Amino acid sequence: MTVLVEADRLRKTFGQIVAVDDISLKVEKGEVLGFLGPNGAGKSTTMKMLTGFLEPDSGMARICGHNVSESPKAAKTQIGYLPEGAPAYGEMTAGAFLRFIAEIRGFDGHQKTTRVASAVERTGLEKVVDQPIDTLSKGFKRRVGLAQAILHDPPVLIMDEPTDGLDPNQKHHVRSLIAEMARDKAIIVSTHILEEVEAVCTRAVVIDRGRIVADGTAEDLQRRMPYHNAVALKVGAATADAVTSALGSIAGVASVERMKEDGGLIQLRALPKAGALIAPDVAALLAERGLSVSELYVERGRLDDVFRKITSEEAARRHA
Amino acid sequence: MRNVFIIAKRELAAYFGTGLAYVFAVIFVALTGAFAFFIGNFFGREQADLLSFFQYHTWLYLLLVPAVAMRLWAEERKAGTIELLMTLPVTTGEAIIGKFLAAWAFIGFALVLTFPMWITVNYLGEPDNGVILTSYIGSFLMAGAFLAIGSCISALTKNQVIAFIVASTICFLLVMSGTDLVLNFFRSWAPQIIVDAVASLSFLTHFNEIMRGVISLASVFFYISLIAFFLFANAIVVDQRKAA
């Protein structure tokens, strides 16, 4: 596979504050990398260094083989970048703005027209091309930013919170746009919304206080969760004890937790040993013993929890 | 070069798109005219020249040019569009020159709109049109120098009001640098050579020379090098402070 984006030990400080501390990562063609982290973790700063807006204190960023500091122009032509908040020249109409971007990107005449038209069509801006950007709604402004980023069909697409502040329909639209483009590009999307990672990303990198604290697929991250593959059950109060002892006898079960009572129903949770799949065994055993349950599901381990766990563990480790 | 042109074109479109162009041009033409007739006593002098007209350009530029320059970079930084602009495949130099040329061309456009003054004086008498032409060129060069200073200051802040006041003050000191107001400050402690150097920075001295119809190489060089110096400083400021 071809590595299109490469960060090598990037570091950036602002006065006393270390915003990005030794970040290295590679993104290959066809990958959508979700860049996760709490606010102020260094996501935007990292992206700004990758796109050549900020000069790193040390380390190096490479886009399609071009060193961003040494040949910024060559690197920048390969990138489509949506900065945080999708800034644009507000007094221009969406169409004029996109034509300006097309010209700067080196398109002229007929090519300029078709590029702009296709970006407008892909981002659904047809109705507002002749309106000044200042008068557009937040969703449309964001789409203008997106159109600007994808206009030259770049091999590398870097987007800082592309769905921030959009309504659910618009979020869905942006995500499907990303998914559609994913095949032949390397895409980096920063977000603090975890559902987004599950929805569009092939890989997630969690950064906290300027460092990478986790790197893997959404599935990998979920696996780090203690409740991953745990089986949750709701049973009647009368059968609760029988079910508990039955669960305890299954080989793959590490422990059984009794959670809360809810209108005569008791919620139980069987935790697996080291991520083992226990659901089939649980279901089979319960059927065999004729124990009835009113609800049974496998817990995936929510990314939200993983995220909180990783970032707070990291904080604790540093304080120690 | 292509990028400089594209950026300049966008900037110029913005001047006209926001109405700034019309406000500026009308006020500039009205004020230069008013100053020439009422304060400069254009008729009373009974001279077929435009001295009473050009004489006040320095003072008008002191207010009006920083007003054009203040938005050049402060606005980009405030709106965050600087991040967009500087991640497009353009160099800092291209962006700075493009913006500067647009603003300069725009002031030139306002200057051209004062042509009724020229018609008037030609209708009334037989002026030396060579002198008038050199005065126009001198005025344009002076505006460019003010503009480069304003552009550089504008990159230092997100706040346009601060950019305006600081740029105006610096321009004012440069204009006054041939007078006792500024020179006395230096005379008390600096050697004569520095006092002379400061005095030679005076916009007024150079412009007065040009208004007399003398385009000396020294004066042209003075303005051009001032523009070059401040645009260079501007590039450093933009590179250093774009993230702040």
Side-chain angles (χ1 to χ4, degrees):
Chain A
M1 274 309 228
T2 20
V3 176
L4 296 183
V5 181
E6 196 183 347
D8 185 25
R9 315 203 60 177
L10 286 176
R11 185 183 160 87
K12 181 80 189 170
T13 54
F14 297 109
Q16 291 291 307
I17 303 156
V18 182
V20 171
D21 189 4
D22 204 21
I23 282 194
S24 300
L25 55 87
K26 283 179 182 163
V27 189
E28 288 172 356
K29 188 173 165 181
E31 266 191 309
V32 181
L33 179 80
F35 221 34
L36 282 160
N39 292 326
K43 301 183 297 257
S44 293
T45 308
T46 307
M47 292 184 141
K48 284 174 186 173
M49 287 191 282
L50 288 174
T51 51
F53 181 63
L54 286 182
E55 189 71 18
D57 293 348
S58 64
M60 188 189 58
R62 255 211 214 106
I63 303 288
C64 300
H66 303 288
N67 184 323
V68 177
S69 309
E70 279 162 18
S71 38
K73 234 177 173 169
K76 285 171 184 173
T77 50
Q78 307 295 323
I79 308 175
Y81 178 42
L82 174 68
E84 190 173 4
Y89 294 107
E91 80 282 350
M92 301 177 94
T93 65
F97 176 68
L98 292 176
R99 281 192 291 278
F100 163 67
I101 298 289
E103 284 174 18
I104 284 278
R105 293 283 184 192
F107 299 114
D108 267 324
H110 179 64
Q111 256 197 325
K112 181 170 94 177
T113 321
T114 49
R115 287 279 174 175
V116 171
S118 113
V120 163
E121 192 229 299
R122 292 180 84 175
T123 49
L125 285 171
E126 291 91 343
K127 273 188 224 150
V128 299
V129 266
D130 293 324
Q131 280 185 40
I133 295 170
D134 269 344
T135 66
L136 298 180
S137 69
K138 200 169 177 182
F140 273 123
K141 272 185 195 161
R142 192 58 52 107
R143 286 198 234 173
V144 171
L146 267 170
Q148 164 274 125
I150 63 172
L151 186 127
H152 54 304
D153 196 21
V156 173
L157 199 53
I158 296 178
M159 292 179 278
D160 202 347
E161 310 210 332
T163 60
D164 185 41
L166 299 185
D167 68 37
N169 284 333
Q170 295 165 337
K171 277 185 186 171
H172 178 78
H173 180 84
V174 169
R175 283 176 196 156
S176 41
L177 193 65
I178 294 173
E180 197 181 294
M181 294 184 299
R183 210 159 10 94
D184 49 353
K185 293 187 197 311
I187 302 180
I188 301 181
V189 184
S190 88
T191 179
H192 51 253
I193 312 164
L194 294 147
E195 50 179 277
E196 204 149 288
V197 177
E198 284 170 311
V200 298
C201 300
T202 58
R203 198 176 129 209
V205 164
V206 183
I207 81 168
D208 186 33
R209 271 159 259 236
R211 280 173 177 275
I212 294 183
V213 291
D215 184 349
T217 60
E219 182 79 2
D220 287 337
L221 289 182
Q222 284 169 341
R223 224 171 273 141
R224 297 176 63 146
M225 200 49 211
Y227 294 143
H228 184 63
N229 279 350
V231 174
L233 308 109
K234 263 188 192 166
V235 296
T239 52
D241 289 331
V243 171
T244 308
S245 65
L247 289 174
S249 70
I250 297 170
V253 173
S255 64
V256 181
E257 283 177 1
R258 197 171 176 131
M259 290 157 64
K260 56 179 186 224
E261 290 188 37
D262 172 20
L265 291 175
I266 293 182
Q267 209 177 341
L268 298 172
R269 183 192 273 145
L271 301 176
K273 285 177 183 156
L277 255 179
I278 53 169
D281 296 343
V282 170
L285 187 73
L286 292 178
E288 189 189 309
R289 302 209 180 163
L291 294 165
S292 73
V293 278
S294 54
E295 215 174 88
L296 184 150
Y297 61 90
V298 178
E299 295 201 15
R300 308 292 309 167
R302 287 166 44 78
L303 268 181
D304 271 318
D305 298 328
V306 185
F307 180 67
R308 267 216 311 281
K309 181 167 166 269
I310 294 172
T311 52
S312 57
E313 264 173 11
E314 183 70 8
R317 197 174 60 76
R318 288 194 185 195
H319 279 294
Chain B
M1 223 25 237
R2 193 187 120 92
N3 285 345
V4 170
F5 175 71
I6 296 167
I7 290 172
K9 197 174 79 176
R10 196 211 73 76
E11 286 283 319
L12 270 178
Y15 290 135
F16 289 92
T18 53
L20 173 72
Y22 307 106
V23 173
F24 181 88
V26 167
I27 289 180
F28 181 78
V29 172
L31 283 183
T32 46
F35 274 47
F37 285 109
F38 295 106
I39 304 175
N41 201 10
F42 176 73
F43 290 124
R45 292 174 66 246
E46 297 195 343
Q47 297 277 328
D49 62 25
L50 283 179
L51 195 68
S52 58
F53 165 71
F54 285 113
Q55 202 168 12
Y56 297 102
H57 280 197
T58 317
W59 309 106
L60 274 172
Y61 285 156
L62 218 46
L63 269 177
L64 294 179
V65 175
V68 173
M70 67 181 186
R71 52 169 293 287
L72 282 177
W73 290 96
E75 192 175 85
E76 294 265 353
R77 289 185 49 181
K78 180 101 181 170
T81 44
I82 189 167
E83 192 170 349
L84 179 84
L85 182 63
M86 303 314 280
T87 52
L88 290 171
V90 297
T91 63
T92 310
E94 286 169 345
I96 284 171
I97 295 172
K99 279 170 159 289
F100 171 79
L101 287 182
W104 204 15
F106 166 59
I107 291 172
F109 161 76
L111 204 53
V112 167
L113 288 185
T114 62
F115 70 92
M117 287 301 299
W118 175 72
I119 293 178
T120 307
V121 78
N122 270 284
Y123 178 75
L124 293 173
E126 282 174 11
D128 184 340
N129 281 319
V131 173
I132 291 176
L133 182 67
T134 59
S135 300
Y136 265 115
I137 292 171
S139 173
F140 185 59
L141 280 172
M142 184 168 63
F146 280 6
L147 196 60
I149 294 169
S151 175
C152 179
I153 301 299
S154 154
L156 283 164
T157 174
K158 280 181 188 172
N159 187 321
Q160 297 196 26
V161 177
I162 292 176
F164 173 76
I165 292 172
V166 173
S168 273
T169 308
I170 292 180
C171 291
F172 177 71
L173 289 177
L174 277 172
V175 167
M176 300 303 280
S177 70
T179 67
D180 287 343
L181 172 84
V182 172
L183 289 182
N184 280 345
F185 171 76
F186 287 95
R187 277 193 189 114
S188 54
W189 56 272
Q192 188 59 36
I193 185 160
I194 293 192
V195 177
D196 287 345
V198 172
S200 74
L201 284 178
S202 173
F203 275 56
L204 272 185
T205 321
H206 290 284
F207 189 53
N208 283 339
E209 210 166 286
I210 290 176
M211 274 193 302
R212 287 202 310 270
V214 187
I215 293 202
S216 73
L217 209 56
S219 295
V220 173
F221 183 74
F222 169 75
Y223 287 124
I224 299 285
S225 56
L226 212 62
I227 290 171
F229 173 78
F230 276 100
L231 290 185
F232 181 70
N234 195 350
I236 293 172
V237 172
V238 168
D239 274 337
Q240 293 297 314
R241 295 191 49 102
K242 57 192 172 187

